[in-house]
Amino acid sequence: MSKTRTDKVRQQDAKRQQALRDRRVAHRERVGAETMKLTTYRGTRADLELMQQVGGFDEPAEVITLAVRYLAGLARRDPAAFLEAMNPRNPV
């Protein structure tokens, strides 16, 4: 009898996991998610790790997303400040 219950539980778990995967796919389609390949170097990874730690973020992707959104807002509000922030000769 426990074998039947175990099979039933496995089927329920499989359906639940499939539903979760389906919801994630639907959400990604709805918000226009796209995966991109990004090559980073040691210094950039160290900067991302620092930003993650200070901000309390779990994923580097979250730091990147928020930084891009912030800089885009700055570009809209104050293009000169954006250009200064993006200056590669700007001392870090």
Side-chain angles (χ1 to χ4, degrees):
M1 185 132 167
S2 67
K3 181 175 170 121
T4 304
R5 184 178 185 288
T6 302
D7 290 343
K8 182 178 177 182
V9 169
R10 284 186 191 152
Q11 287 177 353
Q12 290 171 344
D13 288 345
K15 286 180 184 178
R16 188 171 25 259
Q17 286 301 315
Q18 186 60 52
L20 176 63
R21 286 191 293 272
D22 292 346
R23 284 193 306 275
R24 285 181 178 161
V25 167
H27 172 73
R28 288 177 55 83
E29 287 176 4
R30 201 169 45 252
V31 298
E34 179 180 315
T35 301
M36 72 172 41
K37 184 176 179 179
L38 175 69
T39 301
T40 60
Y41 296 91
R42 193 174 324 140
T44 303
R45 286 191 304 273
D47 291 342
L48 282 171
E49 187 175 322
L50 173 66
M51 294 167 71
Q52 259 184 273
Q53 290 172 354
V54 171
F57 302 110
D58 295 329
E59 304 274 336
E62 189 174 7
V63 172
I64 293 167
T65 298
L66 292 173
V68 168
R69 298 297 304 258
Y70 173 80
L71 286 170
L74 183 61
R76 284 189 286 277
R77 288 187 314 276
D78 190 347
F82 170 78
L83 290 172
E84 180 62 26
M86 296 301 290
N87 181 352
R89 289 176 175 61
N90 192 1
V92 177

